[in-house]
Amino acid sequence: TIKEVTSTEATSASGSFEEVSIAEDVINEDGSTTWATTSAAATQGSNSAYMNFLTYSDIGQEDYLIVATLNTTAIDAFEFSFDYAYARYSESYNDGMEVVYRDQCGDWQTIFSQSGSELATGPDQTSLFVPSGDQWASLGFLIQADEGTDVLQIAIKAINGYGNALYVDNYVVQSFTNTFNISNVEVSDASCSDVADG
């Protein structure tokens, strides 16, 4: 199936995977194990999305969880944040996660990539990893659309290393507003023309 995105009105997105099955678009090129919802762990609500690498022996397969398809004609910068948790099976099996984005005509561009012990938020274990509350971490990014882009897609890419499980929850994509905070105010003497009172 080839799915071409031609237009969208959305300028923000959020989700916590409370549906029975994934409502977000998923790219699963081999038609095998891919992103699914689970009620085993969550940081918001009762569900999260996860990739079960533990029983997925086809090493190197990539599965994309598309969290946002955005209109960039008026807004071209976005803040993207989400929670995640991961544990390895052992040092010999390292799964990976990337944050990627693309415009309507381009290839995926990577802005974050980690795997193995760098990605892990919990200890190695040979049974299915289910994170506790303190085994979640949060990530945040600023994503700028290229000039001339009308549609921007943002995704979390899972890379299978036949390891353990990767969980994602509570994602938010919103427009980025560049604001300036006042850190200091100084008052100086006024000087007005034709006035002698200072």
Side-chain angles (χ1 to χ4, degrees), residues 6-11 70-78 104 145-146 148-152:
T6 56
S7 65
T8 180
E9 297 302 316
T11 56
L70 304 166
N71 184 314
T72 57
T73 55
I75 300 169
D76 64 358
F78 300 88
Q104 66 270 22
D146 294 333
T149 299
D150 294 330
V151 176
L152 183 74

Side-chain angles (χ1 to χ4, degrees), residues 98-119:
E98 294 183 0
V99 174
V100 297
Y101 70 96
R102 67 180 178 185
D103 64 23
Q104 66 270 22
C105 300
D107 296 324
W108 291 108
Q109 298 181 55
T110 302
I111 58 172
F112 173 85
S113 179
Q114 279 190 345
S115 63
S117 60
E118 281 187 322
L119 181 63

Side-chain angles (χ1 to χ4, degrees), residues 9-54:
E9 297 302 316
T11 56
S12 64
S14 62
S16 58
F17 307 102
E18 297 307 300
E19 303 83 5
V20 174
S21 58
I22 294 263
E24 290 76 6
D25 287 335
V26 170
I27 299 175
N28 176 22
E29 292 181 349
D30 67 348
S32 183
T33 302
T34 194
W35 291 99
T37 57
T38 177
S39 60
T43 61
Q44 181 173 312
S46 57
N47 286 4
S48 61
Y50 85 125
M51 275 292 303
N52 182 2
F53 299 118
L54 187 65

Side-chain angles (χ1 to χ4, degrees), residues 88-166:
R88 302 184 308 175
Y89 180 91
S90 72
E91 64 181 16
S92 301
Y93 300 92
N94 294 290
D95 310 297
M97 180 181 75
E98 294 183 0
V99 174
V100 297
Y101 70 96
R102 67 180 178 185
D103 64 23
Q104 66 270 22
C105 300
D107 296 324
W108 291 108
Q109 298 181 55
T110 302
I111 58 172
F112 173 85
S113 179
Q114 279 190 345
S115 63
S117 60
E118 281 187 322
L119 181 63
T121 61
D124 295 359
Q125 60 185 69
T126 55
S127 58
L128 181 67
F129 170 62
V130 177
S132 59
D134 63 348
Q135 291 177 323
W136 288 86
S138 298
L139 290 172
F141 306 92
L142 174 63
I143 300 176
Q144 178 81 45
D146 294 333
E147 188 175 347
T149 299
D150 294 330
V151 176
L152 183 74
Q153 283 190 321
I154 301 171
I156 300 169
K157 181 170 77 171
I159 305 164
N160 181 31
Y162 197 21
N164 209 307
L166 169 66

Side-chain angles (χ1 to χ4, degrees), residues 56-79:
Y56 190 15
S57 60
D58 198 356
I59 293 174
Q61 284 296 322
E62 300 173 349
D63 290 77
Y64 295 79
L65 176 64
I66 300 173
V67 296
T69 301
L70 304 166
N71 184 314
T72 57
T73 55
I75 300 169
D76 64 358
F78 300 88
E79 294 175 294

